[in-house]
Amino acid sequence: MDLSERIKIITGSIPADVNLVAVSKTRSIEEILKVYEADIRDFGENKVQELIEKHDNLMDKNIRWHLIGHLQRNKVKYIVDKVHLIHSLDSVRLLEEIEKQFSLKNKIAKVLIQINIGREESKSGILEEDLINLINEVEKCSYVKVKGLMTIIPKGDEESSRIYFKKMKSIYEDLKTKSYNNVKMTYLSMGMTNDYKVAIEEGANIIRVGEGIFGKRIYDI
Ligand SMILES: *Cc1c(COP(=O)(O)O)cnc(C)c1O
């Protein structure tokens, strides 16, 4: 199967109200352009440096760049003008830095709160019980808008994935009933190549697919 066939399969199998983010980490500009030619406009990177390089290389294209990996506070300043949506707000300290750097350029940061729904030591994201505190801090901001939630679930079979996705959806729906100034539940970002179908069944409206589009990732060692 080639790239355009893989894209057709995925776009053909997701409902119109689900947004596909093509995860282009480790991929070349050439590969990204092939996906772009298949009418994909949302691309996700997990490293700031890589996002910046690709953004700058593809300035003339109409691409929305998503930062999907952990964001270090000292790197926020580099992405203010380049990122469309930050999927990985996971602490009050990061929030304060985003508020500061975006205010300096008079820009609004659109972010998702990343929840470590599987409570894994190895994963970033906040724990469910810390969510309300973070939201209260977001309410004090003038340059940050929370647009929804994101998660990376623990590896597992379909049954266990479904449980985590359901937990996320329930948090999302609960927040939807509350009224905030800077927090609005519009996006639920969950599901990757191996589980995006289950994620959509459980309410995801942003899926982040890498290998399912680009083929197997080969990391330089
Ligand atoms: C790499 C990555 C993905 C995509 O994973 P695939 O298995 O290639 O679809 C999605 N989300 C995040 C945060 C990632 O780092």
Side-chain angles (χ1 to χ4, degrees):
M1 239 195 305
D2 72 5
L3 210 135
S4 66
E5 286 173 312
R6 284 195 296 267
I7 293 172
K8 264 192 211 131
I9 288 174
I10 293 174
T11 53
S13 71
I14 64 177
D17 59 349
V18 173
N19 301 280
L20 172 63
V21 173
V23 176
S24 50
K25 62 191 185 198
T26 78
R27 307 295 175 168
S28 67
I29 298 292
E30 251 172 28
E31 288 174 286
I32 294 173
L33 283 173
K34 280 191 197 137
V35 175
Y36 185 86
E37 276 153 26
D39 289 334
I40 305 288
R41 293 292 175 268
D42 292 272
F43 289 84
E45 289 289 338
N46 66 339
K47 295 200 175 110
V48 164
Q49 182 63 26
E50 212 171 324
L51 185 147
I52 293 168
E53 281 169 19
K54 288 172 179 172
H55 170 279
D56 292 354
N57 247 291
L58 294 162
M59 283 272 266
D60 59 329
K61 299 288 185 287
N62 183 22
I63 292 179
R64 293 180 289 266
W65 290 102
H66 298 247
L67 197 276
I68 61 174
H70 180 65
L71 177 54
Q72 286 172 278
R73 280 178 296 136
N74 61 355
K75 303 225 167 116
V76 174
K77 55 177 172 289
Y78 302 120
I79 59 168
V80 176
D81 296 313
K82 311 194 173 187
V83 74
H84 169 70
L85 182 65
I86 297 169
H87 288 228
S88 47
L89 173 61
D90 62 358
S91 73
V92 173
R93 285 181 3 132
L94 175 60
L95 172 68
E96 287 167 352
E97 183 63 14
I98 294 174
E99 168 78 1
K100 180 178 155 198
Q101 295 299 336
F102 279 71
S103 75
L104 287 172
K105 293 194 175 167
N106 198 27
K107 290 241 172 183
I108 301 293
K110 290 185 280 179
V111 309
L112 306 180
I113 295 174
Q114 181 177 355
I115 299 183
N116 184 354
I117 199 71
R119 311 182 76 86
E120 294 173 285
E121 292 274 348
S122 61
K123 290 220 171 86
S124 46
I126 63 160
L127 297 174
E128 204 185 328
E129 59 267 30
D130 298 325
L131 183 59
I132 293 307
N133 178 50
L134 181 58
I135 285 177
N136 289 337
E137 294 301 318
V138 170
E139 285 295 273
K140 298 176 192 164
C141 291
S142 304
Y143 294 87
V144 180
K145 297 284 181 201
V146 168
K147 299 284 182 186
L149 305 177
M150 179 273 216
T151 195
I152 305 169
I153 63 166
K155 281 200 171 59
D157 58 12
E158 184 181 322
E159 199 185 339
S160 87
S161 300
R162 213 176 270 287
I163 291 168
Y164 291 117
F165 291 145
K166 276 188 200 296
K167 279 190 185 164
M168 285 297 297
K169 171 73 167 169
S170 128
I171 299 168
Y172 177 84
E173 287 301 330
D174 181 51
L175 286 177
K176 228 180 197 179
T177 65
K178 308 218 162 93
S179 115
Y180 297 107
N181 286 319
N182 298 331
V183 180
K184 193 164 175 253
M185 291 297 114
T186 305
Y187 297 118
L188 182 54
S189 168
M190 58 185 194
M192 323 201 290
T193 297
N194 290 325
D195 57 13
Y196 73 85
K197 285 185 186 147
V198 182
I200 291 169
E201 283 167 13
E202 299 303 338
N205 59 14
I206 297 183
I207 56 171
R208 311 177 307 267
V209 179
E211 294 192 332
I213 291 175
F214 288 94
K216 199 125 194 78
R217 246 184 328 271
I218 297 155
Y219 288 97
D220 284 338
I221 303 159

